[in-house]
Amino acid sequence: MNTHDTAVWQQPRAIALLMAASLTVMANATISPALAGLEQEFADVPDAGFLVRLLVTAPSLGVMLTAPLAGWLTDRAGRRGVLLAGIWLFILCGTAGYYLPGLQLMLASRFGLGIAVALIMTAQTALIGDYFTGARRQALTGLQISARNFGGLVFIGLAGLAATLSPRLPFLIYGLAVLCLYTVWRHAPEPRRSGSGAGQAEAPGHPAWLVLVIAVSALQMLTNGLFFMMPTQLPFFFAAQGLNSALMTGAGLGLLSLCGGLTALLYARFKGALPQAAVFAAGYSALAIGFAVLAQEGSPALSLAGAMAVGTGYATVSPGFVAIALALAPAGRRGTAGAILTASVFCGQFLSPFASTPAITQWGYGGAFGAAAALLALMAAAALAAALRTARRRAAA
């Protein structure tokens, strides 16, 4: 069957890339349900509470420090090899926490997991640009956000069940990446550098592509930093309201992921009907509304509604960063573009608590969420102004 007659999500190479995308959400949060049990297991280790929490953020540091190398390798050694190597390393380092005896060794394995994620995300992003063009590429950038959201629901849910039996069991969930390894090996060939196939021609890219990709990545870093207030601050927000923190956080993040996954499925339709700036305006508006609702510190139902709006808005804007960067970068430098994007995602996540925690200490949860809403509203207004300016130019032309 001609791949152009097949829906993009039904194509084997697209399925392989979506499976790879779903792995990235496993890196940090999968072991979150096991943190309390691990802290108890290593209670005799000095600073165990702090070190156990570092198990969650260590992969982000690994990604930030090694993403440039991943981009260099992807552009020079080939996308397929880098992606397969990343998945192998992901399996080895992810499952290592199940059997490693010491907390320091577990931290080292988590840093290695970050290296694996840098390789996976960089090569996977480059392959999206190599395999697909136009509407199909835009559809796949939305689908990968959806895959991450639904993957998060499945993996974190499994981890929660496993952690009730042993705090070490959630580490074995990383072994599920074996299925992705086989699918990528079977269906993700190294793209040709020339030829007539879609996505295979040597696209020249924008003359100032590097500066523009860095600018897009900076916006993505800011967006991710604001969004990551949800998993890092939501548990404490609910606890401060006297609610069941574990139950409410699970419900809030679950609904956020569900809304994000469903919204990302519709990204191709949004992009087909609206210019990119208008899509950004809609997404940042939803994010601003979500944080404004949370800032009210109202009923549990209202707070959950705010989390749903945040998930919807984030899934609306996220695919655009990848689509824009891939359109700007030359074909031979898509690995570099993917590395810059990857680093910006995890840099935003890593820095988020360092910015949000002092803000909460100074202004309280309502004030911090309100400030985030105000900033996102300004971003929405700027995107709307850009969309209107583009519409006027087109009308004049």
Side-chain angles (χ1 to χ4, degrees), residues 241-317:
Q241 292 180 297
L243 302 172
N244 184 320
S245 177
L247 178 63
M248 289 296 296
T249 301
L253 295 181
L255 288 170
L256 180 150
S257 295
L258 180 62
C259 289
L262 294 174
T263 301
L265 289 175
L266 302 173
Y267 175 76
R269 294 188 180 183
F270 296 155
K271 187 62 183 67
L274 298 170
Q276 185 67 69
V279 175
F280 275 125
Y284 283 126
S285 295
L287 278 163
I289 291 170
F291 275 103
V293 169
L294 288 167
Q296 304 307 308
E297 301 185 71
S299 66
L302 191 65
S303 296
L304 292 178
M308 293 168 69
V310 169
T312 299
Y314 181 71
T316 302
V317 300

Side-chain angles (χ1 to χ4, degrees), residues 109-208:
S109 73
R110 299 293 290 175
F111 184 84
L113 184 67
I115 298 175
V117 171
L119 295 173
I120 292 169
M121 287 188 68
T122 300
Q124 183 248 3
T125 300
L127 284 171
I128 290 176
D130 291 338
Y131 289 160
F132 303 97
T133 58
R136 286 177 175 269
R137 181 188 292 174
Q138 293 168 2
L140 195 59
T141 57
L143 288 172
Q144 74 169 349
I145 302 299
S146 185
R148 290 172 188 169
N149 277 275
F150 290 133
L153 278 175
V154 173
F155 298 138
I156 296 174
L158 288 174
L161 293 174
T164 61
L165 302 175
S166 165
R168 296 287 192 128
L169 277 180
F171 289 99
L172 292 182
I173 295 174
Y174 292 98
L176 293 174
V178 169
L179 300 175
C180 178
L181 182 68
Y182 171 77
T183 307
V184 169
W185 174 79
R186 182 76 173 79
H187 297 296
E190 183 67 24
R192 292 175 294 178
R193 292 302 181 210
S194 61
S196 58
Q200 294 170 348
E202 286 286 355
H206 193 282

